[in-house]
Amino acid sequence: MQKDLRKFCNNQLLVSPSILAADFANLADNIVEVAQAGADMLHLDVMDGHFVPNISFGVPVIKAIRSKSDLLFDTHLMITHPLQYIEAFVKAGADHITFHLECDDDPIAVINKIREMECTVGISVKPATPFKKIKDLIPGFPLNRSECIPFAFRVYATYEVSNRLVDLKLHNLIDQLNPTLRSIETFNGKQRK
């Protein structure tokens, strides 16, 4: 049974360390350490080498670490075709699945499949994504009003002035068009200036 992101309050600060920062030779021990240190969830960056140039890990690693942790698995799919892999990731232990709006699959089909698998949904956008593409999706998002956190937009920033302005515009757009959405920022390890 999946852990539910909705158990957290909408304005609660959450700690979600990425396993990409772990020592893969001691992955199980590192996961126990971050749980004991108070992590709320574990962030799993899945990269396919097509959507992004890097390759990280996939279903077998998630399945292997699921038995090592009761933390919520915040699974970020940086893959070209998330639709064909959602079921496998959920069966392996993913609890919350974030996919990229820029993927090759229809966003609504991906959202519906994730929900069909009883997971919460996140949508990630790159700073260069045109606002029109984002703006057109937000108002018509197929919300289930019983969800206190229907889904999250994840914004990747580099903290250059222009990208920071993009982040602020996106947050304002989300607040204006659909205030029930949760917005999450991830800063790729760079510090706020």
Side-chain angles (χ1 to χ4, degrees):
M1 182 175 159
Q2 280 85 29
K3 282 102 181 119
D4 198 331
L5 183 65
R6 295 169 292 189
K7 72 178 181 177
F8 298 106
C9 297
N10 206 19
N11 61 352
Q12 183 178 354
L13 178 65
L14 304 174
V15 177
S16 183
S18 172
I19 68 166
L20 290 183
D23 173 1
F24 272 67
N26 297 299
L27 190 53
D29 291 339
N30 287 178
I31 290 169
V32 170
E33 288 172 13
V34 297
Q36 290 173 347
D40 297 298
M41 59 184 91
L42 199 58
H43 188 77
L44 311 175
D45 282 310
V46 177
M47 298 178 241
D48 66 1
H50 299 280
F51 185 77
V52 293
N54 296 333
I55 297 174
S56 60
F57 55 85
V59 171
V61 170
I62 294 172
K63 185 176 181 182
I65 64 173
R66 179 75 274 179
S67 66
K68 306 299 180 190
S69 177
D70 289 330
L71 291 174
L72 184 144
F73 280 10
D74 173 21
T75 309
H76 179 192
L77 302 181
M78 290 178 268
I79 63 178
T80 305
H81 295 286
L83 194 56
Q84 71 187 66
Y85 298 102
I86 291 167
E87 188 170 344
F89 280 108
V90 172
K91 287 181 178 177
D95 300 302
H96 174 79
I97 297 180
T98 298
F99 71 97
H100 273 267
L101 185 60
E102 304 87 358
C103 74
D104 287 351
D105 294 333
D106 172 55
I108 299 299
V110 177
I111 291 164
N112 289 338
K113 181 65 175 178
I114 294 169
R115 285 189 166 157
E116 176 187 310
M117 298 301 300
E118 300 181 358
C119 283
T120 51
V121 180
I123 297 178
S124 184
V125 292
K126 295 178 180 180
T129 299
F131 277 108
K132 179 164 180 27
K133 189 171 184 179
I134 300 163
K135 188 175 181 178
D136 290 348
L137 182 64
I138 293 171
F141 185 79
L143 292 176
N144 174 347
R145 293 291 174 189
S146 67
E147 295 179 314
C148 72
I149 304 172
F151 76 104
F153 271 96
R154 187 179 304 274
V155 180
Y156 287 85
T158 61
Y159 280 103
E160 295 171 9
V161 173
S162 62
N163 284 343
R164 186 66 188 145
L165 292 175
V166 167
D167 293 347
L168 292 173
K169 282 177 152 180
L170 179 59
H171 288 288
N172 290 337
L173 181 67
I174 291 170
D175 288 343
Q176 178 186 22
L177 295 176
N178 197 334
T180 63
L181 303 183
R182 183 173 194 165
S183 179
I184 301 171
E185 288 187 79
T186 303
F187 301 115
N188 292 342
K190 297 190 179 183
Q191 302 223 350
R192 187 177 292 234
K193 293 182 181 179

